[in-house]
Amino acid sequence: MTDTVNDLRSAGGGGSASCCAPKTSCCSTPASKWSWTRFPGRRVLLSTWTIVLGGPLLVLLLDQPQFVPFVSFAIKAFLGTLPYIAFAVALIAWLKAAGAEAYVARAFEGRETQAIVLAALFGGLAPFCSCEVIPFIAGLLAVGAPLSAIMAFWLSSPLIDPPTLLITAGALGWSFAIGKAVFAVALGLFGGFLVAILLRTGALPNPVKIGSSASGCGCGASPQTGRPVWQFWRETERTAKFGSELRVNALFLVKWLALAYVLEAALVTYVPADLIAGVVGGNGLGAIVISALVGMPAYLNSYVAPPLLAGLVDQGMSSGAAMAFMIAGAVSSIPAMAAVWSLVKPQVFATYLGLGFVGAVLSGLIFQLVV
């Protein structure tokens, strides 16, 4: 009997036994509060693939006439990047299976300044948009290239390339085209050297996200020679490593670039380019800052932006505001942000956005003073 009373008291939280009489509510189990963190489908709903697949489905349900153009745009953009993805994935897998990542990283030791300069210059020649450059950035991170040089390439590459230079010159004149090319390289150098300083001061510890294609290690160099085993297929362990890296990195890059192009399709379909550009008209410092702010999330690729901005310049938009808008949009559009977020830690992501914004504003100001 004593045990029974004690059991009843324990069940009642120390209250009397009579509290738990039948048909009383004082000892009923309180209903647990609903919590989003305990929702069983939370991880699925917040996954990247949910957005990739859910975006087109929403368009199909809510705006059926735009479904085919929406999906076609995203697929064509993704297929255009597919060769770069395939090359980057195969290269990463090969280097890791061969044990070359540490070997390649040592090639940059003591040559960081040279690497930053070359990355900024090469970025100005490489014909990559802000999303197409992601596979190559993932590859550079995977082999241990310094983040400073990677940032230099990351910032300068989407801004200018030979075809874009000619299109910009045709629409806005050679002074604008040459100015954009100069600012592209200058922004790459500025960002690269700034990141180098931040790394030395410890402001950007462990910049690469764990689990991204840039993390992990390979099989290591040959224990006999200390050099990479380039013919990895002769060893079972290295062959298995190649296949594993191929699958992991392919899934990683395909997932995030698919998200980037679905977001780009949404912007192109529902936010007309001329509407975006029309918001940034005006003169003075305020117009330049607003142009950079609006240009950052917007998406106007380097082939569409020059003709539209040329029309706005004819209508009174300042050349500085046009330059700021073009640079901000190329470096840090929403598709580019999604891809960058997948690779690096938040502090590096914030640095990337800050460099894009500051670089766009400074470029606009300098261009407006000089021209």
PDB file of all heavy atoms in Angstrom, residues 233-270:
ATOM      1  N   TRP A 233      44.439   4.524 -61.334  1.00  0.00           N
ATOM      2  CA  TRP A 233      43.635   3.351 -61.637  1.00  0.00           C
ATOM      3  C   TRP A 233      44.412   2.044 -61.438  1.00  0.00           C
ATOM      4  O   TRP A 233      43.831   0.967 -61.472  1.00  0.00           O
ATOM      5  CB  TRP A 233      43.117   3.429 -63.063  1.00  0.00           C
ATOM      6  CG  TRP A 233      44.186   3.686 -64.091  1.00  0.00           C
ATOM      7  CD1 TRP A 233      44.966   2.758 -64.729  1.00  0.00           C
ATOM      8  CD2 TRP A 233      44.603   4.954 -64.568  1.00  0.00           C
ATOM      9  NE1 TRP A 233      45.833   3.373 -65.581  1.00  0.00           N
ATOM     10  CE2 TRP A 233      45.630   4.735 -65.515  1.00  0.00           C
ATOM     11  CE3 TRP A 233      44.198   6.262 -64.307  1.00  0.00           C
ATOM     12  CZ2 TRP A 233      46.270   5.774 -66.182  1.00  0.00           C
ATOM     13  CZ3 TRP A 233      44.834   7.301 -64.980  1.00  0.00           C
ATOM     14  CH2 TRP A 233      45.853   7.061 -65.908  1.00  0.00           C
ATOM     15  N   ARG A 234      45.685   2.130 -61.186  1.00  0.00           N
ATOM     16  CA  ARG A 234      46.482   0.935 -60.944  1.00  0.00           C
ATOM     17  C   ARG A 234      46.381   0.449 -59.500  1.00  0.00           C
ATOM     18  O   ARG A 234      46.882  -0.632 -59.187  1.00  0.00           O
ATOM     19  CB  ARG A 234      47.945   1.198 -61.302  1.00  0.00           C
ATOM     20  CG  ARG A 234      48.166   1.486 -62.787  1.00  0.00           C
ATOM     21  CD  ARG A 234      49.635   1.625 -63.111  1.00  0.00           C
ATOM     22  NE  ARG A 234      49.838   1.800 -64.547  1.00  0.00           N
ATOM     23  CZ  ARG A 234      51.040   1.914 -65.129  1.00  0.00           C
ATOM     24  NH1 ARG A 234      52.130   1.848 -64.371  1.00  0.00           N
ATOM     25  NH2 ARG A 234      51.138   2.075 -66.435  1.00  0.00           N
ATOM     26  N   GLU A 235      45.771   1.253 -58.649  1.00  0.00           N
ATOM     27  CA  GLU A 235      45.613   0.875 -57.245  1.00  0.00           C
ATOM     28  C   GLU A 235      44.130   0.876 -56.898  1.00  0.00           C
ATOM     29  O   GLU A 235      43.416   1.849 -57.172  1.00  0.00           O
ATOM     30  CB  GLU A 235      46.371   1.840 -56.331  1.00  0.00           C
ATOM     31  CG  GLU A 235      47.869   1.875 -56.585  1.00  0.00           C
ATOM     32  CD  GLU A 235      48.593   2.813 -55.640  1.00  0.00           C
ATOM     33  OE1 GLU A 235      48.009   3.144 -54.572  1.00  0.00           O
ATOM     34  OE2 GLU A 235      49.724   3.232 -55.970  1.00  0.00           O
ATOM     35  N   THR A 236      43.686  -0.202 -56.285  1.00  0.00           N
ATOM     36  CA  THR A 236      42.256  -0.372 -55.983  1.00  0.00           C
ATOM     37  C   THR A 236      41.737   0.723 -55.064  1.00  0.00           C
ATOM     38  O   THR A 236      40.649   1.271 -55.282  1.00  0.00           O
ATOM     39  CB  THR A 236      42.019  -1.742 -55.336  1.00  0.00           C
ATOM     40  OG1 THR A 236      42.506  -2.765 -56.207  1.00  0.00           O
ATOM     41  CG2 THR A 236      40.528  -1.958 -55.094  1.00  0.00           C
ATOM     42  N   GLU A 237      42.511   1.045 -54.025  1.00  0.00           N
ATOM     43  CA  GLU A 237      42.063   2.057 -53.067  1.00  0.00           C
ATOM     44  C   GLU A 237      41.891   3.419 -53.737  1.00  0.00           C
ATOM     45  O   GLU A 237      40.913   4.136 -53.480  1.00  0.00           O
ATOM     46  CB  GLU A 237      43.067   2.162 -51.927  1.00  0.00           C
ATOM     47  CG  GLU A 237      42.651   3.161 -50.849  1.00  0.00           C
ATOM     48  CD  GLU A 237      43.710   3.307 -49.765  1.00  0.00           C
ATOM     49  OE1 GLU A 237      44.725   2.598 -49.821  1.00  0.00           O
ATOM     50  OE2 GLU A 237      43.503   4.160 -48.868  1.00  0.00           O
ATOM     51  N   ARG A 238      42.826   3.762 -54.598  1.00  0.00           N
ATOM     52  CA  ARG A 238      42.748   5.062 -55.279  1.00  0.00           C
ATOM     53  C   ARG A 238      41.609   5.082 -56.297  1.00  0.00           C
ATOM     54  O   ARG A 238      40.948   6.108 -56.489  1.00  0.00           O
ATOM     55  CB  ARG A 238      44.079   5.392 -55.952  1.00  0.00           C
ATOM     56  CG  ARG A 238      45.218   5.588 -54.960  1.00  0.00           C
ATOM     57  CD  ARG A 238      46.523   5.973 -55.644  1.00  0.00           C
ATOM     58  NE  ARG A 238      47.611   6.025 -54.683  1.00  0.00           N
ATOM     59  CZ  ARG A 238      47.890   7.081 -53.929  1.00  0.00           C
ATOM     60  NH1 ARG A 238      47.160   8.174 -54.036  1.00  0.00           N
ATOM     61  NH2 ARG A 238      48.904   7.050 -53.079  1.00  0.00           N
ATOM     62  N   THR A 239      41.371   3.975 -56.951  1.00  0.00           N
ATOM     63  CA  THR A 239      40.247   3.899 -57.895  1.00  0.00           C
ATOM     64  C   THR A 239      38.918   4.084 -57.167  1.00  0.00           C
ATOM     65  O   THR A 239      38.021   4.792 -57.643  1.00  0.00           O
ATOM     66  CB  THR A 239      40.260   2.551 -58.632  1.00  0.00           C
ATOM     67  OG1 THR A 239      41.510   2.380 -59.306  1.00  0.00           O
ATOM     68  CG2 THR A 239      39.127   2.476 -59.648  1.00  0.00           C
ATOM     69  N   ALA A 240      38.808   3.447 -56.007  1.00  0.00           N
ATOM     70  CA  ALA A 240      37.591   3.611 -55.205  1.00  0.00           C
ATOM     71  C   ALA A 240      37.443   5.050 -54.735  1.00  0.00           C
ATOM     72  O   ALA A 240      36.325   5.597 -54.702  1.00  0.00           O
ATOM     73  CB  ALA A 240      37.623   2.670 -54.010  1.00  0.00           C
ATOM     74  N   LYS A 241      38.561   5.685 -54.366  1.00  0.00           N
ATOM     75  CA  LYS A 241      38.526   7.085 -53.942  1.00  0.00           C
ATOM     76  C   LYS A 241      38.074   7.983 -55.081  1.00  0.00           C
ATOM     77  O   LYS A 241      37.281   8.906 -54.879  1.00  0.00           O
ATOM     78  CB  LYS A 241      39.918   7.513 -53.457  1.00  0.00           C
ATOM     79  CG  LYS A 241      39.994   8.943 -52.965  1.00  0.00           C
ATOM     80  CD  LYS A 241      39.171   9.150 -51.710  1.00  0.00           C
ATOM     81  CE  LYS A 241      39.312  10.554 -51.167  1.00  0.00           C
ATOM     82  NZ  LYS A 241      38.501  10.763 -49.953  1.00  0.00           N
ATOM     83  N   PHE A 242      38.536   7.689 -56.280  1.00  0.00           N
ATOM     84  CA  PHE A 242      38.132   8.473 -57.452  1.00  0.00           C
ATOM     85  C   PHE A 242      36.624   8.390 -57.662  1.00  0.00           C
ATOM     86  O   PHE A 242      35.951   9.405 -57.867  1.00  0.00           O
ATOM     87  CB  PHE A 242      38.866   7.970 -58.694  1.00  0.00           C
ATOM     88  CG  PHE A 242      38.478   8.677 -59.962  1.00  0.00           C
ATOM     89  CD1 PHE A 242      39.038   9.902 -60.293  1.00  0.00           C
ATOM     90  CD2 PHE A 242      37.533   8.121 -60.815  1.00  0.00           C
ATOM     91  CE1 PHE A 242      38.676  10.564 -61.461  1.00  0.00           C
ATOM     92  CE2 PHE A 242      37.166   8.769 -61.978  1.00  0.00           C
ATOM     93  CZ  PHE A 242      37.734   9.991 -62.301  1.00  0.00           C
ATOM     94  N   GLY A 243      36.083   7.177 -57.605  1.00  0.00           N
ATOM     95  CA  GLY A 243      34.646   7.012 -57.791  1.00  0.00           C
ATOM     96  C   GLY A 243      33.843   7.702 -56.706  1.00  0.00           C
ATOM     97  O   GLY A 243      32.813   8.331 -56.986  1.00  0.00           O
ATOM     98  N   SER A 244      34.324   7.611 -55.464  1.00  0.00           N
ATOM     99  CA  SER A 244      33.621   8.256 -54.348  1.00  0.00           C
ATOM    100  C   SER A 244      33.626   9.771 -54.495  1.00  0.00           C
ATOM    101  O   SER A 244      32.580  10.423 -54.340  1.00  0.00           O
ATOM    102  CB  SER A 244      34.283   7.848 -53.034  1.00  0.00           C
ATOM    103  OG  SER A 244      33.735   8.566 -51.955  1.00  0.00           O
ATOM    104  N   GLU A 245      34.786  10.342 -54.797  1.00  0.00           N
ATOM    105  CA  GLU A 245      34.875  11.789 -54.968  1.00  0.00           C
ATOM    106  C   GLU A 245      34.057  12.258 -56.163  1.00  0.00           C
ATOM    107  O   GLU A 245      33.447  13.327 -56.131  1.00  0.00           O
ATOM    108  CB  GLU A 245      36.341  12.201 -55.148  1.00  0.00           C
ATOM    109  CG  GLU A 245      37.178  12.065 -53.905  1.00  0.00           C
ATOM    110  CD  GLU A 245      36.775  13.063 -52.830  1.00  0.00           C
ATOM    111  OE1 GLU A 245      36.244  14.130 -53.169  1.00  0.00           O
ATOM    112  OE2 GLU A 245      36.968  12.756 -51.641  1.00  0.00           O
ATOM    113  N   LEU A 246      34.027  11.452 -57.205  1.00  0.00           N
ATOM    114  CA  LEU A 246      33.255  11.805 -58.397  1.00  0.00           C
ATOM    115  C   LEU A 246      31.775  11.938 -58.057  1.00  0.00           C
ATOM    116  O   LEU A 246      31.117  12.917 -58.431  1.00  0.00           O
ATOM    117  CB  LEU A 246      33.468  10.738 -59.472  1.00  0.00           C
ATOM    118  CG  LEU A 246      33.215  11.147 -60.931  1.00  0.00           C
ATOM    119  CD1 LEU A 246      34.254  12.169 -61.367  1.00  0.00           C
ATOM    120  CD2 LEU A 246      33.281   9.920 -61.830  1.00  0.00           C
ATOM    121  N   ARG A 247      31.259  10.977 -57.296  1.00  0.00           N
ATOM    122  CA  ARG A 247      29.838  11.006 -56.941  1.00  0.00           C
ATOM    123  C   ARG A 247      29.525  12.158 -55.986  1.00  0.00           C
ATOM    124  O   ARG A 247      28.558  12.904 -56.191  1.00  0.00           O
ATOM    125  CB  ARG A 247      29.435   9.668 -56.296  1.00  0.00           C
ATOM    126  CG  ARG A 247      29.410   8.494 -57.236  1.00  0.00           C
ATOM    127  CD  ARG A 247      28.780   7.288 -56.580  1.00  0.00           C
ATOM    128  NE  ARG A 247      29.526   6.855 -55.399  1.00  0.00           N
ATOM    129  CZ  ARG A 247      30.547   6.010 -55.435  1.00  0.00           C
ATOM    130  NH1 ARG A 247      30.948   5.507 -56.583  1.00  0.00           N
ATOM    131  NH2 ARG A 247      31.162   5.658 -54.314  1.00  0.00           N
ATOM    132  N   VAL A 248      30.338  12.305 -54.949  1.00  0.00           N
ATOM    133  CA  VAL A 248      30.071  13.325 -53.925  1.00  0.00           C
ATOM    134  C   VAL A 248      30.128  14.717 -54.519  1.00  0.00           C
ATOM    135  O   VAL A 248      29.230  15.548 -54.304  1.00  0.00           O
ATOM    136  CB  VAL A 248      31.067  13.184 -52.760  1.00  0.00           C
ATOM    137  CG1 VAL A 248      30.954  14.375 -51.821  1.00  0.00           C
ATOM    138  CG2 VAL A 248      30.820  11.888 -52.010  1.00  0.00           C
ATOM    139  N   ASN A 249      31.171  15.010 -55.276  1.00  0.00           N
ATOM    140  CA  ASN A 249      31.329  16.355 -55.826  1.00  0.00           C
ATOM    141  C   ASN A 249      30.337  16.655 -56.938  1.00  0.00           C
ATOM    142  O   ASN A 249      29.894  17.790 -57.090  1.00  0.00           O
ATOM    143  CB  ASN A 249      32.765  16.539 -56.321  1.00  0.00           C
ATOM    144  CG  ASN A 249      33.758  16.614 -55.184  1.00  0.00           C
ATOM    145  OD1 ASN A 249      33.727  17.534 -54.374  1.00  0.00           O
ATOM    146  ND2 ASN A 249      34.633  15.626 -55.086  1.00  0.00           N
ATOM    147  N   ALA A 250      29.990  15.633 -57.725  1.00  0.00           N
ATOM    148  CA  ALA A 250      28.986  15.839 -58.769  1.00  0.00           C
ATOM    149  C   ALA A 250      27.644  16.202 -58.147  1.00  0.00           C
ATOM    150  O   ALA A 250      26.976  17.150 -58.581  1.00  0.00           O
ATOM    151  CB  ALA A 250      28.856  14.587 -59.630  1.00  0.00           C
ATOM    152  N   LEU A 251      27.245  15.458 -57.108  1.00  0.00           N
ATOM    153  CA  LEU A 251      25.976  15.754 -56.441  1.00  0.00           C
ATOM    154  C   LEU A 251      26.004  17.137 -55.815  1.00  0.00           C
ATOM    155  O   LEU A 251      25.032  17.896 -55.905  1.00  0.00           O
ATOM    156  CB  LEU A 251      25.695  14.697 -55.377  1.00  0.00           C
ATOM    157  CG  LEU A 251      24.402  14.888 -54.567  1.00  0.00           C
ATOM    158  CD1 LEU A 251      23.192  14.828 -55.483  1.00  0.00           C
ATOM    159  CD2 LEU A 251      24.299  13.817 -53.478  1.00  0.00           C
ATOM    160  N   PHE A 252      27.118  17.481 -55.195  1.00  0.00           N
ATOM    161  CA  PHE A 252      27.243  18.778 -54.533  1.00  0.00           C
ATOM    162  C   PHE A 252      27.096  19.927 -55.530  1.00  0.00           C
ATOM    163  O   PHE A 252      26.291  20.850 -55.335  1.00  0.00           O
ATOM    164  CB  PHE A 252      28.597  18.843 -53.832  1.00  0.00           C
ATOM    165  CG  PHE A 252      28.890  20.180 -53.206  1.00  0.00           C
ATOM    166  CD1 PHE A 252      28.380  20.505 -51.962  1.00  0.00           C
ATOM    167  CD2 PHE A 252      29.671  21.119 -53.867  1.00  0.00           C
ATOM    168  CE1 PHE A 252      28.643  21.739 -51.383  1.00  0.00           C
ATOM    169  CE2 PHE A 252      29.934  22.344 -53.300  1.00  0.00           C
ATOM    170  CZ  PHE A 252      29.426  22.660 -52.056  1.00  0.00           C
ATOM    171  N   LEU A 253      27.858  19.886 -56.605  1.00  0.00           N
ATOM    172  CA  LEU A 253      27.827  20.991 -57.573  1.00  0.00           C
ATOM    173  C   LEU A 253      26.515  21.035 -58.348  1.00  0.00           C
ATOM    174  O   LEU A 253      25.975  22.115 -58.597  1.00  0.00           O
ATOM    175  CB  LEU A 253      29.014  20.867 -58.536  1.00  0.00           C
ATOM    176  CG  LEU A 253      30.386  21.177 -57.927  1.00  0.00           C
ATOM    177  CD1 LEU A 253      31.495  20.875 -58.923  1.00  0.00           C
ATOM    178  CD2 LEU A 253      30.462  22.632 -57.487  1.00  0.00           C
ATOM    179  N   VAL A 254      26.011  19.868 -58.733  1.00  0.00           N
ATOM    180  CA  VAL A 254      24.739  19.836 -59.469  1.00  0.00           C
ATOM    181  C   VAL A 254      23.622  20.417 -58.609  1.00  0.00           C
ATOM    182  O   VAL A 254      22.794  21.201 -59.086  1.00  0.00           O
ATOM    183  CB  VAL A 254      24.418  18.389 -59.905  1.00  0.00           C
ATOM    184  CG1 VAL A 254      22.955  18.269 -60.338  1.00  0.00           C
ATOM    185  CG2 VAL A 254      25.327  17.964 -61.046  1.00  0.00           C
ATOM    186  N   LYS A 255      23.599  20.053 -57.332  1.00  0.00           N
ATOM    187  CA  LYS A 255      22.536  20.521 -56.435  1.00  0.00           C
ATOM    188  C   LYS A 255      22.545  22.046 -56.321  1.00  0.00           C
ATOM    189  O   LYS A 255      21.513  22.696 -56.503  1.00  0.00           O
ATOM    190  CB  LYS A 255      22.723  19.891 -55.059  1.00  0.00           C
ATOM    191  CG  LYS A 255      21.739  20.382 -54.014  1.00  0.00           C
ATOM    192  CD  LYS A 255      21.973  19.708 -52.674  1.00  0.00           C
ATOM    193  CE  LYS A 255      23.269  20.163 -52.037  1.00  0.00           C
ATOM    194  NZ  LYS A 255      23.425  19.625 -50.655  1.00  0.00           N
ATOM    195  N   TRP A 256      23.704  22.623 -56.022  1.00  0.00           N
ATOM    196  CA  TRP A 256      23.749  24.060 -55.773  1.00  0.00           C
ATOM    197  C   TRP A 256      23.641  24.882 -57.054  1.00  0.00           C
ATOM    198  O   TRP A 256      23.056  25.977 -57.047  1.00  0.00           O
ATOM    199  CB  TRP A 256      25.010  24.408 -55.001  1.00  0.00           C
ATOM    200  CG  TRP A 256      24.908  24.012 -53.567  1.00  0.00           C
ATOM    201  CD1 TRP A 256      25.434  22.905 -52.970  1.00  0.00           C
ATOM    202  CD2 TRP A 256      24.173  24.691 -52.540  1.00  0.00           C
ATOM    203  NE1 TRP A 256      25.088  22.855 -51.644  1.00  0.00           N
ATOM    204  CE2 TRP A 256      24.313  23.941 -51.350  1.00  0.00           C
ATOM    205  CE3 TRP A 256      23.422  25.862 -52.509  1.00  0.00           C
ATOM    206  CZ2 TRP A 256      23.740  24.326 -50.143  1.00  0.00           C
ATOM    207  CZ3 TRP A 256      22.846  26.253 -51.306  1.00  0.00           C
ATOM    208  CH2 TRP A 256      23.000  25.488 -50.152  1.00  0.00           C
ATOM    209  N   LEU A 257      24.171  24.392 -58.150  1.00  0.00           N
ATOM    210  CA  LEU A 257      24.025  25.140 -59.398  1.00  0.00           C
ATOM    211  C   LEU A 257      22.609  25.017 -59.951  1.00  0.00           C
ATOM    212  O   LEU A 257      22.108  25.946 -60.583  1.00  0.00           O
ATOM    213  CB  LEU A 257      25.056  24.661 -60.421  1.00  0.00           C
ATOM    214  CG  LEU A 257      26.477  25.136 -60.113  1.00  0.00           C
ATOM    215  CD1 LEU A 257      27.479  24.491 -61.049  1.00  0.00           C
ATOM    216  CD2 LEU A 257      26.576  26.660 -60.223  1.00  0.00           C
ATOM    217  N   ALA A 258      21.960  23.887 -59.712  1.00  0.00           N
ATOM    218  CA  ALA A 258      20.542  23.782 -60.087  1.00  0.00           C
ATOM    219  C   ALA A 258      19.718  24.808 -59.323  1.00  0.00           C
ATOM    220  O   ALA A 258      18.843  25.479 -59.892  1.00  0.00           O
ATOM    221  CB  ALA A 258      20.029  22.369 -59.816  1.00  0.00           C
ATOM    222  N   LEU A 259      19.995  24.964 -58.032  1.00  0.00           N
ATOM    223  CA  LEU A 259      19.310  25.992 -57.238  1.00  0.00           C
ATOM    224  C   LEU A 259      19.595  27.384 -57.798  1.00  0.00           C
ATOM    225  O   LEU A 259      18.681  28.212 -57.927  1.00  0.00           O
ATOM    226  CB  LEU A 259      19.767  25.911 -55.789  1.00  0.00           C
ATOM    227  CG  LEU A 259      19.277  27.042 -54.865  1.00  0.00           C
ATOM    228  CD1 LEU A 259      17.762  27.013 -54.746  1.00  0.00           C
ATOM    229  CD2 LEU A 259      19.937  26.939 -53.494  1.00  0.00           C
ATOM    230  N   ALA A 260      20.847  27.646 -58.139  1.00  0.00           N
ATOM    231  CA  ALA A 260      21.209  28.963 -58.662  1.00  0.00           C
ATOM    232  C   ALA A 260      20.442  29.281 -59.937  1.00  0.00           C
ATOM    233  O   ALA A 260      19.945  30.399 -60.120  1.00  0.00           O
ATOM    234  CB  ALA A 260      22.710  29.023 -58.922  1.00  0.00           C
ATOM    235  N   TYR A 261      20.302  28.296 -60.822  1.00  0.00           N
ATOM    236  CA  TYR A 261      19.639  28.575 -62.095  1.00  0.00           C
ATOM    237  C   TYR A 261      18.124  28.622 -61.969  1.00  0.00           C
ATOM    238  O   TYR A 261      17.455  29.302 -62.761  1.00  0.00           O
ATOM    239  CB  TYR A 261      20.073  27.546 -63.139  1.00  0.00           C
ATOM    240  CG  TYR A 261      21.491  27.792 -63.604  1.00  0.00           C
ATOM    241  CD1 TYR A 261      22.462  26.807 -63.522  1.00  0.00           C
ATOM    242  CD2 TYR A 261      21.862  29.039 -64.093  1.00  0.00           C
ATOM    243  CE1 TYR A 261      23.757  27.043 -63.938  1.00  0.00           C
ATOM    244  CE2 TYR A 261      23.158  29.287 -64.510  1.00  0.00           C
ATOM    245  CZ  TYR A 261      24.098  28.287 -64.423  1.00  0.00           C
ATOM    246  OH  TYR A 261      25.389  28.529 -64.831  1.00  0.00           O
ATOM    247  N   VAL A 262      17.549  27.930 -60.990  1.00  0.00           N
ATOM    248  CA  VAL A 262      16.113  28.085 -60.733  1.00  0.00           C
ATOM    249  C   VAL A 262      15.835  29.490 -60.211  1.00  0.00           C
ATOM    250  O   VAL A 262      14.868  30.152 -60.622  1.00  0.00           O
ATOM    251  CB  VAL A 262      15.630  27.017 -59.728  1.00  0.00           C
ATOM    252  CG1 VAL A 262      14.249  27.364 -59.191  1.00  0.00           C
ATOM    253  CG2 VAL A 262      15.588  25.646 -60.398  1.00  0.00           C
ATOM    254  N   LEU A 263      16.677  29.987 -59.321  1.00  0.00           N
ATOM    255  CA  LEU A 263      16.523  31.358 -58.833  1.00  0.00           C
ATOM    256  C   LEU A 263      16.717  32.356 -59.967  1.00  0.00           C
ATOM    257  O   LEU A 263      15.995  33.362 -60.055  1.00  0.00           O
ATOM    258  CB  LEU A 263      17.537  31.629 -57.725  1.00  0.00           C
ATOM    259  CG  LEU A 263      17.345  30.830 -56.424  1.00  0.00           C
ATOM    260  CD1 LEU A 263      18.497  31.103 -55.457  1.00  0.00           C
ATOM    261  CD2 LEU A 263      16.018  31.168 -55.774  1.00  0.00           C
ATOM    262  N   GLU A 264      17.683  32.091 -60.818  1.00  0.00           N
ATOM    263  CA  GLU A 264      17.903  32.991 -61.958  1.00  0.00           C
ATOM    264  C   GLU A 264      16.692  32.999 -62.885  1.00  0.00           C
ATOM    265  O   GLU A 264      16.266  34.066 -63.364  1.00  0.00           O
ATOM    266  CB  GLU A 264      19.145  32.534 -62.732  1.00  0.00           C
ATOM    267  CG  GLU A 264      19.459  33.399 -63.940  1.00  0.00           C
ATOM    268  CD  GLU A 264      20.648  32.872 -64.717  1.00  0.00           C
ATOM    269  OE1 GLU A 264      21.430  32.067 -64.185  1.00  0.00           O
ATOM    270  OE2 GLU A 264      20.800  33.276 -65.878  1.00  0.00           O
ATOM    271  N   ALA A 265      16.113  31.825 -63.148  1.00  0.00           N
ATOM    272  CA  ALA A 265      14.926  31.753 -63.998  1.00  0.00           C
ATOM    273  C   ALA A 265      13.772  32.541 -63.390  1.00  0.00           C
ATOM    274  O   ALA A 265      13.015  33.212 -64.108  1.00  0.00           O
ATOM    275  CB  ALA A 265      14.522  30.295 -64.207  1.00  0.00           C
ATOM    276  N   ALA A 266      13.630  32.470 -62.058  1.00  0.00           N
ATOM    277  CA  ALA A 266      12.570  33.229 -61.395  1.00  0.00           C
ATOM    278  C   ALA A 266      12.780  34.728 -61.561  1.00  0.00           C
ATOM    279  O   ALA A 266      11.830  35.477 -61.820  1.00  0.00           O
ATOM    280  CB  ALA A 266      12.515  32.859 -59.910  1.00  0.00           C
ATOM    281  N   LEU A 267      14.026  35.179 -61.429  1.00  0.00           N
ATOM    282  CA  LEU A 267      14.310  36.607 -61.593  1.00  0.00           C
ATOM    283  C   LEU A 267      14.054  37.068 -63.014  1.00  0.00           C
ATOM    284  O   LEU A 267      13.441  38.111 -63.256  1.00  0.00           O
ATOM    285  CB  LEU A 267      15.758  36.887 -61.199  1.00  0.00           C
ATOM    286  CG  LEU A 267      16.078  36.860 -59.704  1.00  0.00           C
ATOM    287  CD1 LEU A 267      17.575  36.922 -59.483  1.00  0.00           C
ATOM    288  CD2 LEU A 267      15.398  38.015 -58.993  1.00  0.00           C
ATOM    289  N   VAL A 268      14.538  36.285 -63.968  1.00  0.00           N
ATOM    290  CA  VAL A 268      14.381  36.673 -65.373  1.00  0.00           C
ATOM    291  C   VAL A 268      12.909  36.655 -65.789  1.00  0.00           C
ATOM    292  O   VAL A 268      12.450  37.506 -66.552  1.00  0.00           O
ATOM    293  CB  VAL A 268      15.212  35.740 -66.273  1.00  0.00           C
ATOM    294  CG1 VAL A 268      14.899  35.971 -67.747  1.00  0.00           C
ATOM    295  CG2 VAL A 268      16.701  35.951 -66.012  1.00  0.00           C
ATOM    296  N   THR A 269      12.145  35.694 -65.259  1.00  0.00           N
ATOM    297  CA  THR A 269      10.740  35.545 -65.660  1.00  0.00           C
ATOM    298  C   THR A 269       9.838  36.597 -65.029  1.00  0.00           C
ATOM    299  O   THR A 269       8.963  37.157 -65.705  1.00  0.00           O
ATOM    300  CB  THR A 269      10.239  34.140 -65.275  1.00  0.00           C
ATOM    301  OG1 THR A 269      11.059  33.157 -65.896  1.00  0.00           O
ATOM    302  CG2 THR A 269       8.790  33.952 -65.733  1.00  0.00           C
ATOM    303  N   TYR A 270      10.053  36.887 -63.739  1.00  0.00           N
ATOM    304  CA  TYR A 270       9.097  37.714 -63.018  1.00  0.00           C
ATOM    305  C   TYR A 270       9.610  39.099 -62.634  1.00  0.00           C
ATOM    306  O   TYR A 270       8.848  39.901 -62.102  1.00  0.00           O
ATOM    307  CB  TYR A 270       8.634  36.975 -61.759  1.00  0.00           C
ATOM    308  CG  TYR A 270       7.843  35.741 -62.098  1.00  0.00           C
ATOM    309  CD1 TYR A 270       8.385  34.471 -61.937  1.00  0.00           C
ATOM    310  CD2 TYR A 270       6.560  35.843 -62.628  1.00  0.00           C
ATOM    311  CE1 TYR A 270       7.656  33.331 -62.268  1.00  0.00           C
ATOM    312  CE2 TYR A 270       5.826  34.713 -62.968  1.00  0.00           C
ATOM    313  CZ  TYR A 270       6.381  33.471 -62.789  1.00  0.00           C
ATOM    314  OH  TYR A 270       5.660  32.350 -63.131  1.00  0.00           O
TER     315      TYR A 270
END
